[in-house]
Amino acid sequence: MRLRDELGELYQDEHFVSLYPIEGQPAYQAWRLAIVTVLQYAEGLTDRQAANAVRERIDWKYALGLELTNAGFDFSVLCEFRARLVESQQETLLLDRLLEVCKERGWLKAGGKQRTDSTHVLARVRSLSNLECVGETLRAVLDDLAALAPEWLVQHITPEWFERYSHRVENYRLPKAESQRTALAQQIGADGLHLLQALERPDAPEMLQNDASIQLLRQVWQQYYDLAGGKAKWRAGPQENAEEGIIRSPYDAEARTGKKRETTWLGYKVHLTETCALEMTEQAQEPVLPQLITDVQTTVANVQDVEMTQVIQEDLAHHDLVPDQQIVDTGYVDAELLVSSQQRYGITLVGPVLADNSWQAKANKGFDVAHFQLDWQAELATCPQGQSSARWSLAGERIEVVFAREVCATCPLRKDCTKSATTGRVLHVRPQAAHEALQARRHEQETPAFRQTYQTRAGIEGTLSQSVRGMGIRRARYDGLHKTQLQHVVTAVAINLVRIDAVLTNTPRGKTRQSTFMRLALHPAWQSQEAA
């Protein structure tokens, strides 16, 4: 109710004109559906519960500008509204509109500091074993074909198919002996290939050629079977295509397996970027601004964080929200991004880079690349012993610098520099700007000033905690990347509104939780003991 009074008509029907046709039966007001969707995510309600809240709750009626006697709408309207957003590729519309309003109110502007981090998202489906995946894929296709072309399907199956594919393919029902499991996999492969070959014949229904389930069947069979010679031979393990990951379930073909340290999951990954205005304004004794999520990116689980840094920066630039500093962890940083962030967008990318992993650097006494002087104009490198390189050439995206074998062979420090018996020392360095930025950051991140600046990144862990524990972002509500992206965007809108409301009511932020043992460090008895 406070947000209704403060923000007024946050959403209006004209913002959703492109989602609806010009002709036809009038739809329920789109702006109200947008508000209901956001409130639904803020309170963790299902579609049916949200529709009931519109009918039963006075505060919701007030926020929606409805009479007390209004009967509301059928809950299925919410699903249709989300589908329109996804089909029109406007998943970010609700967040974009809120950010525009925040700009108008002076709560948000370009510059300053923003921080980015990601967390894993579990798909709505479970990860299947290899044999379960192919069996369930064929079973799902048969269900679709039975609805689309039953007369054609009965001509290409045998009675044994009903025994094999009438029930869910689950491990506890499958044979235990490895030889029997392999034989079943071969049988499923032969059945699927038989179906694919039948679909390629001229008498096959044309509407089935581009059916999504048929395309999925082809994709799964190419990954799990060797189809050479017109036969389906079971692979020892699925073969991942260079452009697409391994499919683990036919019910969400876009979900992928991700791994981060000890955590492995099937699903997606969400990247959140937010402002750091709260800490800055408190220190400057200025009016506190809401700490707002400015960008949401959802990817499949196996996309690395470093691949998203430029995407996030492009999106921030598109919305005129480019920060002066973007504070991230190591996963979002590499040498090239340190340079491109500054050159393209004027962003100082603040985050530690990986240490040199060469054996010379790990030995703490060897000569890693930082010990060599590079003359970029003369294309010449000088080693710590004063010897010059013999060759400087471009090797792909790196520069290869080679020292003469004869020079290195007589060097008294050879064992600390190279282990090669056939060549001299070889260096592979990045282009000048990236190399210098990398070396500078490795030196900078060891300083107290950098550590103090980098401490600001820790605050986004609270945002991830709020989104996971308060808004249920850890589990995908829907199947597919675009629907999951919409879930994350609406979740970000809900979090932003909660934070705006907290600022309006002067509600203080929660403090970082400390265990009882950690609080013991502040106990007077311990501090006096430390002082002694």
Side-chain angles (χ1 to χ4, degrees), residues 301-467:
N302 56 351
V303 173
Q304 301 301 313
D305 291 349
V306 71
E307 301 177 44
M308 297 304 300
T309 305
Q310 185 173 336
V311 175
I312 294 169
Q313 293 173 349
E314 288 177 356
D315 198 53
L316 292 173
H318 177 71
H319 293 90
D320 296 323
L321 292 173
V322 174
D324 296 327
Q325 287 186 349
Q326 184 181 9
I327 307 173
V328 297
D329 63 20
T330 305
Y332 288 93
V333 185
D334 66 16
E336 287 73 18
L337 286 170
L338 291 173
V339 177
S340 63
S341 298
Q342 187 66 50
Q343 291 180 345
R344 294 181 183 178
Y345 309 105
I347 297 175
T348 301
L349 191 61
V350 179
V353 295
L354 294 174
D356 191 337
N357 61 359
S358 65
W359 68 265
Q360 293 94 339
K362 293 178 179 179
N364 292 326
K365 65 174 183 177
F367 299 126
D368 57 21
V369 67
H371 287 80
F372 290 76
Q373 297 181 4
L374 304 177
D375 188 336
W376 299 94
Q377 285 69 35
E379 296 187 346
L380 194 69
T382 304
C383 76
Q385 289 295 98
Q387 300 294 336
S388 299
S389 59
R391 180 165 58 86
W392 177 298
S393 59
L394 189 64
E397 298 180 354
R398 301 293 180 93
I399 298 171
E400 185 178 72
V401 181
V402 182
F403 286 81
R405 176 186 176 184
E406 297 78 13
V407 172
C408 292
T410 58
C411 179
L413 301 178
R414 175 184 175 86
K415 63 179 181 179
D416 294 330
C417 190
T418 180
K419 296 179 180 179
S420 174
T422 58
T423 64
R425 177 65 185 271
V426 179
L427 304 176
H428 291 93
V429 298
R430 295 171 173 83
Q432 181 178 1
H435 175 81
E436 293 176 348
L438 178 62
Q439 298 304 321
R441 177 55 55 84
R442 283 175 175 166
H443 174 74
E444 179 189 9
Q445 66 193 30
E446 300 299 327
T447 63
F450 179 89
R451 295 192 185 99
Q452 183 175 2
T453 301
Y454 187 62
Q455 283 181 351
T456 307
R457 191 213 69 86
I460 200 170
E461 299 293 346
T463 299
L464 295 179
S465 177
Q466 183 181 13
S467 63

Side-chain angles (χ1 to χ4, degrees), residues 174-248:
L174 299 176
K176 306 307 178 192
E178 189 63 31
S179 58
Q180 294 177 335
R181 293 173 71 92
T182 302
L184 178 58
Q186 289 291 144
Q187 183 61 60
I188 295 174
D191 292 344
L193 185 60
H194 168 73
L195 207 59
L196 290 173
Q197 291 172 343
L199 288 166
E200 295 175 356
R201 296 171 187 164
D203 61 336
E206 186 176 352
M207 64 177 177
L208 300 180
Q209 299 302 320
N210 296 320
D211 184 72
S213 62
I214 300 301
Q215 299 296 334
L216 178 62
L217 179 64
R218 290 193 179 98
Q219 190 176 349
V220 170
W221 254 236
Q222 288 172 356
Q223 290 186 353
Y224 287 84
Y225 293 95
D226 182 358
L227 303 179
K231 294 183 179 181
K233 183 180 178 182
W234 181 244
R235 298 183 188 273
Q239 185 179 49
E240 183 174 0
N241 189 291
E243 299 179 356
E244 55 196 25
I246 297 172
I247 296 174
R248 285 297 180 186

